[in-house]
Amino acid sequence: MKFGGGAAGSMSLPGSSVARQKDGAADAVSDQFPAGLRVLVVDDDPTCLTILDKMLRTCRYEVTKCNRAEVALSLLRENKNGYDVVISDVHMPDMDGFKLLEHIGLEMDLPVIMMSADDSKNVVMKGVTHGACDYLIKPVRIEALKNIWQHVVRKKKNGWKELEQPGRLDDGDRQQKQEDLDNLSPSNEGSWKTSKRKGEEDEGEEKDDMATLKKPRVVWSAELHQQFVVAVNQLGIDKAVPKKILELMNVTGLTRENVASHLQKYRLYLRRLSGVSQHQGGLNNSFLGPQETSFGMMPSLGGIDLRTLTVAGQLPAQTLASYQASGLTRAALKPSIAMPFVDQRDSLSIEIPKLKFGEGQKQQQQLSTTNTKHINLLQGIPMTMEQKQLVSFQQSPQLSGTLNNLHGGGQNSSLLRQMVQPQSQGEMLNESIGGQMSLIQSSIGQPIPRNRVSNSDYSVNHMADLPHNGFPLSSTPVITPLSSKGFKQEGISSDMQGEKVFAQSYDVFDNLHQHKTQNWQLQNAALNYGAASRYPTTSLGNAVNVSPSVLVHQAFSLANHKNGHNGDCHVGKTISFAGAEEQFGGTTNIDRNANCLLTNIPSRVKVERVQEMSSRTNLFSDHFGHDDLMSALLKQQEDLGQVESEFDFDGYTMDNIPV
Amino acid sequence: MTETKGCKGYLDEQFVQLEELQDDTNPNFVEEVATLFYRDSARLLAVIEQTMVRNPQDFTKLDNYMHQFKGSCSSIGAKKVKAECTQFREYCKAGSSDGCMRTFQQLKREYSTLKKQLEAYFQLARQVGPRESATRPR
């Protein structure tokens, strides 16, 4: 009763040889395909895991078992090209399956199949929205597993399609892309390569580095992304169809397919943002969006960020509205950057800092509470992130100073502070620094800081060093600087490859927190929110341009990247991307993304504030005239050091702002 | 086994799947899985029981645990036990501690009954020979 009698008959290979080689001859793999498919299966239930393992081996796949999501993630990160597909359970004690799914999607871009005994529609829908390529109901039958290879092929095919897009960016961009690719963090590169490699398997293409890509991918540079966001906002997120977006963008060499896949990612990103906000119970209910686990940590931040983003005006109201029923909408409704949030929630700014992400998911709750607490504190301070606050940010470099102090290196912090507390800078700083910083930090996109949840930790440092740098800023959503830092650090100008950009951001986070997925989330949330919130506060208007999704993305990526580093600025980066790309007037952020998410954040924030996010203007750049701030931040970032530029964004290394 | 068990409704098609997975490279696969199941689920049952004693009203938690337990049961094909799990979750949703308690007792009974049956089955299988007993005629 060996199953697949037919297959067994023809396949001579036990599946353990040639096919197994990870980077073995592509030809060999393809000959044996689907045998030798490298599957990573994650399930906390040992019975189930054993059965699945056996079934998959019977299918002649190469199986790796894992009973913990964290372990699975580290396995994947260590060996980016080591697996072809991941099968994961939904309910796991250490990490929600959907969160894992997101991580993988962002960092490795592998097909992920979810499974659960739960077959209720909304859970399955969640799988779909999170990007799972399939959903299996337990008990899983072997027949269902026999065909999982289709997902691998499909993904590769889609990847190739993009590469082969004829009208892709012009050569100049392409080149840029390639360079970026080179700069991309290993993880990114790895996944890209993998897809590329696989894509070209049949052609006998060897794994070549990105530079020799035959089918260059579209690089979603900050500028390009900005254009994209503008187009989407113009059309309305619900009505934005690739064709129209493409027309609006009017970029030569860009195909509808490029836009379509970028849009998909963008949507996911936005969804995440809204989801995160929801989690923030403490913060604002309004943000309640889809409660994404990933955002979980950010609950407090999430809410704020989104709002901030919206407030900043960056987030298209419609976008916000669409995403967040409650929380965001508020923000969205108020296009003025002035922080509609602020109005709605004074605590916004407060909230942000509160998010002390450091703690990770568990902290979420804590965060929310903390945030709420902070909020209260802040309440006193006219947190109206409104423009004047923003202005104050701009004007008061002191915050930056304070922030810096807080985080120790967190230049961002100071910026954050400034940003966050436009109003009572002094007070804010003190209080918020701890809490806000965290918020900011978190918002800045330091998902990582989760660990650092400690308010003080939030400081920008989170962004840079997620690892609990305890950036005081981290809490502060001042994310903008952070994000900018992250982005800027790398100096990833514009190469934010559209899709990759996000991906990068994810990576960032990843690196930041590797261990702390939670942090990641927080950070992401923080970042996102931070950025978002920052904007509003700093009257970033401009800054906020980055639609929350962007920020979120950014944050996430940062967080992701930084996971490893925890606290790396990556988090910041992510935020910045988000912000940068979209809101920051455009390219600035994005370009800078890498640059110093953390450091930039403050600058970004400033910039943003100053300018209503004139699209594409670099937030950091002069708009705000916070150049000085930026430089200060940048300097700080340098101090902070690690700007992980894993992802394209060199700037990402938002450097862990030494706390 | 399933034919016999199936008649009584203790095991379902999933168990057949497990039997089919058993082969020369894994001659005792089904027994290994069953052993693993009982070991792991015993722990989970203990936790559930403890929760019911301490926080009988914590339906969310109980539902979560039971969801896990149900997943395990379905993997091995324990039909009746799985049915009890579903019933238990219904009571959780309804917020009925009594219902949960009663169902839980029933569940434990089914659970241990199945265990005995499986033990007997494996013993027989070992005597008869793995392939003959485990595999059904194709």
Side-chain angles (χ1 to χ4, degrees):
Chain A
M1 47 157 221
K2 304 308 180 221
F3 78 130
S10 50
M11 302 285 223
S12 48
L13 274 186
S16 49
S17 50
V18 185
R20 296 306 158 78
Q21 300 167 26
K22 302 273 161 110
D23 37 23
D27 294 345
V29 176
S30 48
D31 286 349
Q32 303 305 330
F33 197 78
L37 196 72
R38 296 160 304 172
V39 186
L40 175 66
V41 58
V42 190
D43 194 336
D44 63 308
D45 181 345
T47 312
C48 212
L49 197 60
T50 308
I51 296 173
L52 281 170
D53 177 76
K54 178 68 184 164
M55 284 182 173
L56 290 164
R57 286 186 200 282
T58 312
C59 293
R60 286 211 309 273
Y61 294 150
E62 192 181 304
V63 191
T64 307
K65 285 197 289 187
C66 205
N67 66 347
R68 292 200 54 235
E70 300 274 5
V71 176
L73 260 184
S74 54
L75 277 177
L76 286 166
R77 287 179 188 140
E78 282 166 25
N79 193 353
K80 295 266 175 195
N81 298 338
Y83 303 97
D84 298 312
V85 61
V86 180
I87 302 180
S88 171
D89 187 32
V90 166
H91 298 274
M92 290 189 286
D94 63 332
M95 188 196 296
D96 184 51
F98 293 118
K99 207 177 296 188
L100 176 66
L101 166 61
E102 284 183 9
H103 275 286
I104 297 176
L106 289 172
E107 299 175 32
M108 295 112 202
D109 196 30
L110 282 176
V112 181
I113 297 171
M114 302 303 294
M115 10 162 233
S116 177
D118 195 346
D119 61 352
S120 55
K121 198 174 76 166
N122 51 338
V123 182
V124 179
M125 177 60 88
K126 224 176 157 191
V128 172
T129 58
H130 282 72
C133 55
D134 203 354
Y135 191 102
L136 305 175
I137 307 291
K138 287 187 185 177
V140 180
R141 295 176 63 89
I142 199 160
E143 288 80 21
L145 296 175
K146 265 201 251 182
N147 291 330
I148 61 173
W149 57 266
Q150 62 174 296
H151 303 294
V152 178
V153 175
R154 188 177 295 120
K155 200 139 197 162
K156 284 194 208 163
K157 245 188 153 65
N158 291 339
W160 299 336
K161 240 173 104 181
E162 276 192 26
L163 294 178
E164 292 172 4
Q165 287 308 334
R168 254 162 324 164
L169 308 181
D170 55 63
D171 290 345
D173 288 349
R174 205 169 284 134
Q175 237 168 15
Q176 185 87 32
K177 267 191 289 194
Q178 302 209 331
E179 288 168 13
D180 290 337
L181 291 177
D182 293 343
N183 295 335
L184 285 178
S185 58
S187 57
N188 279 344
E189 255 189 322
S191 42
W192 288 346
K193 277 192 185 172
T194 309
S195 56
K196 269 211 300 218
R197 188 176 319 146
K198 291 196 173 163
E200 311 183 326
E201 218 176 53
D202 298 342
E203 304 168 9
E205 202 92 23
E206 49 301 338
K207 313 49 166 156
D208 41 358
D209 48 50
M210 302 297 257
T212 59
L213 266 184
K214 295 205 177 163
K215 308 164 191 171
R217 294 184 95 144
V218 172
V219 178
W220 282 89
S221 65
E223 191 167 335
L224 198 61
H225 181 76
Q226 184 66 25
Q227 278 181 291
F228 170 80
V229 174
V230 166
V232 168
N233 293 341
Q234 234 174 294
L235 293 166
I237 191 70
D238 291 328
K239 295 204 186 65
V241 284
K243 189 148 185 269
K244 294 208 183 124
I245 297 173
L246 187 63
E247 285 167 18
L248 274 177
M249 283 177 74
N250 196 19
V251 170
T252 38
L254 198 63
T255 66
R256 197 203 71 83
E257 286 77 15
N258 298 143
V259 176
S261 70
H262 190 67
L263 178 65
Q264 191 180 43
K265 290 199 182 185
Y266 182 63
R267 281 217 175 103
L268 270 178
Y269 177 75
L270 287 176
R271 214 174 258 273
R272 271 202 212 102
L273 278 175
S274 48
V276 179
S277 50
Q278 284 203 350
H279 283 287
Q280 303 189 338
L283 293 178
N284 295 317
N285 317 324
S286 49
F287 283 121
L288 304 182
Q291 309 219 339
E292 315 239 23
T293 30
S294 50
F295 291 86
M297 289 303 290
M298 304 270 314
S300 42
L301 288 180
I304 306 183
D305 291 333
L306 284 174
R307 302 248 253 174
T308 343
L309 289 175
T310 35
V311 177
Q314 295 288 342
L315 294 178
Q318 40 190 294
T319 307
L320 280 177
S322 56
Y323 287 95
Q324 315 252 333
S326 44
L328 293 180
T329 358
R330 290 201 283 183
L333 295 179
K334 300 194 193 180
S336 58
I337 305 184
M339 319 291 303
F341 289 112
V342 179
D343 299 336
Q344 301 180 3
R345 323 197 316 175
D346 293 339
S347 50
L348 267 187
S349 44
I350 305 180
E351 293 181 350
I352 304 186
K354 286 191 188 187
L355 292 182
K356 309 187 188 183
F357 297 105
E359 316 267 330
Q361 302 189 356
K362 297 182 191 171
Q363 307 238 346
Q364 290 181 3
Q365 298 196 349
Q366 298 179 11
L367 285 177
S368 13
T369 22
T370 332
N371 291 329
T372 24
K373 285 188 198 161
H374 285 281
I375 301 182
N376 297 331
L377 290 177
L378 292 177
Q379 302 259 346
I381 307 174
M383 296 291 305
T384 45
M385 309 264 278
E386 319 229 73
Q387 305 181 345
K388 58 177 172 177
Q389 289 189 356
L390 292 175
V391 173
S392 52
F393 277 131
Q394 300 175 1
Q395 299 165 359
S396 50
Q398 6 172 325
L399 283 177
S400 42
T402 340
L403 290 176
N404 294 328
N405 299 335
L406 290 173
H407 302 292
Q411 301 181 355
N412 304 327
S413 42
S414 46
L415 284 177
L416 293 175
R417 294 286 178 139
Q418 294 189 353
M419 311 242 324
V420 174
Q421 320 195 350
Q423 313 244 333
S424 50
Q425 295 186 347
E427 296 178 14
M428 302 272 302
L429 285 178
N430 298 332
E431 297 193 2
S432 50
I433 299 202
Q436 303 204 342
M437 295 299 278
S438 34
L439 281 179
I440 297 183
Q441 298 247 338
S442 32
S443 49
I444 300 203
Q446 295 202 346
I448 312 181
R450 293 224 296 203
N451 297 323
R452 299 266 229 160
V453 178
S454 53
N455 296 325
S456 52
D457 290 342
Y458 285 117
S459 54
V460 180
N461 296 330
H462 277 294
M463 306 252 310
D465 352 272
L466 289 180
H468 315 297
N469 290 317
F471 288 102
L473 290 178
S474 50
S475 48
T476 47
V478 184
I479 303 186
T480 42
L482 285 177
S483 38
S484 49
K485 283 217 301 202
F487 297 107
K488 298 221 179 161
Q489 293 179 346
E490 304 285 341
I492 304 196
S493 42
S494 62
D495 287 9
M496 300 230 331
Q497 311 178 357
E499 316 217 74
K500 290 314 172 173
V501 171
F502 289 106
Q504 294 179 345
S505 43
Y506 296 121
D507 293 335
V508 172
F509 284 113
D510 206 348
N511 298 328
L512 289 171
H513 320 279
Q514 260 181 352
H515 312 295
K516 309 212 171 242
T517 34
Q518 301 174 351
N519 296 328
W520 175 84
Q521 300 188 344
L522 276 178
Q523 294 181 349
N524 288 326
L527 285 175
N528 298 324
Y529 295 105
S533 51
R534 276 202 292 216
Y535 295 111
T537 44
T538 54
S539 61
L540 289 177
N542 309 329
V544 184
N545 288 329
V546 179
S547 43
S549 51
V550 175
L551 284 174
V552 175
H553 276 294
Q554 307 276 343
F556 284 102
S557 43
L558 287 175
N560 292 336
H561 292 297
K562 293 297 187 166
N563 281 332
H565 312 292
N566 275 4
D568 288 330
C569 305
H570 292 301
V571 172
K573 286 199 203 166
T574 17
I575 304 190
S576 48
F577 281 106
E581 295 193 320
E582 308 197 84
Q583 306 181 351
F584 295 114
T587 47
T588 10
N589 296 331
I590 305 187
D591 296 343
R592 288 335 150 143
N593 308 332
N595 299 329
C596 31
L597 282 179
L598 292 177
T599 49
N600 293 332
I601 303 188
S603 40
R604 278 231 252 196
V605 172
K606 292 193 287 189
V607 175
E608 299 181 333
R609 293 184 301 190
V610 178
Q611 322 195 4
E612 286 287 356
M613 301 300 307
S614 38
S615 43
R616 344 289 290 258
T617 43
N618 309 327
L619 289 177
F620 297 98
S621 53
D622 31 275
H623 288 298
F624 294 122
H626 290 294
D627 290 341
D628 55 342
L629 207 64
M630 284 176 50
S631 45
L633 285 173
L634 287 167
K635 281 190 201 152
Q636 289 184 351
Q637 285 200 340
E638 287 168 8
D639 295 342
L640 292 180
Q642 356 175 331
V643 178
E644 311 232 16
S645 36
E646 305 172 339
F647 308 99
D648 304 308
F649 306 100
D650 296 338
Y652 285 102
T653 49
M654 293 263 315
D655 43 40
N656 310 315
I657 303 195
V659 185
Chain B
M1 166 123 178
T2 31
E3 280 147 349
T4 320
K5 296 288 177 202
C7 290
K8 297 183 194 159
Y10 287 101
L11 291 168
D12 60 23
E13 185 59 24
Q14 183 64 15
F15 195 79
V16 176
Q17 290 257 314
L18 298 187
E19 288 180 316
E20 291 181 355
L21 285 175
Q22 188 158 289
D23 55 20
D24 290 340
T25 61
N26 271 121
N28 299 314
F29 180 69
V30 187
E31 188 172 358
E32 283 166 16
V33 172
T35 309
L36 192 56
F37 166 73
Y38 272 98
R39 194 169 354 124
D40 183 60
S41 54
R43 180 190 50 82
L44 191 52
L45 277 182
V47 169
I48 295 176
E49 189 143 27
Q50 207 177 45
T51 310
M52 292 189 75
V53 165
R54 297 211 191 130
N55 303 337
Q57 300 287 325
D58 193 347
F59 296 112
T60 313
K61 204 185 252 184
L62 288 172
D63 187 69
N64 268 342
Y65 288 140
M66 193 47 76
H67 173 84
Q68 272 180 260
F69 185 75
K70 184 180 169 189
S72 282
C73 290
S74 62
S75 297
I76 198 178
K79 199 161 146 193
K80 280 197 174 178
V81 186
K82 185 173 156 188
E84 295 300 330
C85 292
T86 309
Q87 183 66 43
F88 184 93
R89 293 187 76 196
E90 289 297 319
Y91 279 119
C92 279
K93 278 196 208 103
S96 159
S97 285
D98 274 352
C100 286
M101 184 49 83
R102 277 184 278 115
T103 309
F104 190 67
Q105 300 304 326
Q106 179 73 8
L107 186 152
K108 282 199 289 184
R109 278 196 287 273
E110 292 292 344
Y111 178 80
S112 51
T113 305
L114 178 64
K115 188 172 185 188
K116 293 197 193 79
Q117 287 182 334
L118 284 172
E119 281 169 357
Y121 171 72
F122 292 129
Q123 205 162 31
L124 185 65
R126 267 179 257 122
Q127 288 166 10
V128 176
R131 197 180 292 273
E132 287 111 7
S133 57
T135 55
R136 289 195 302 183
R138 297 256 144 253

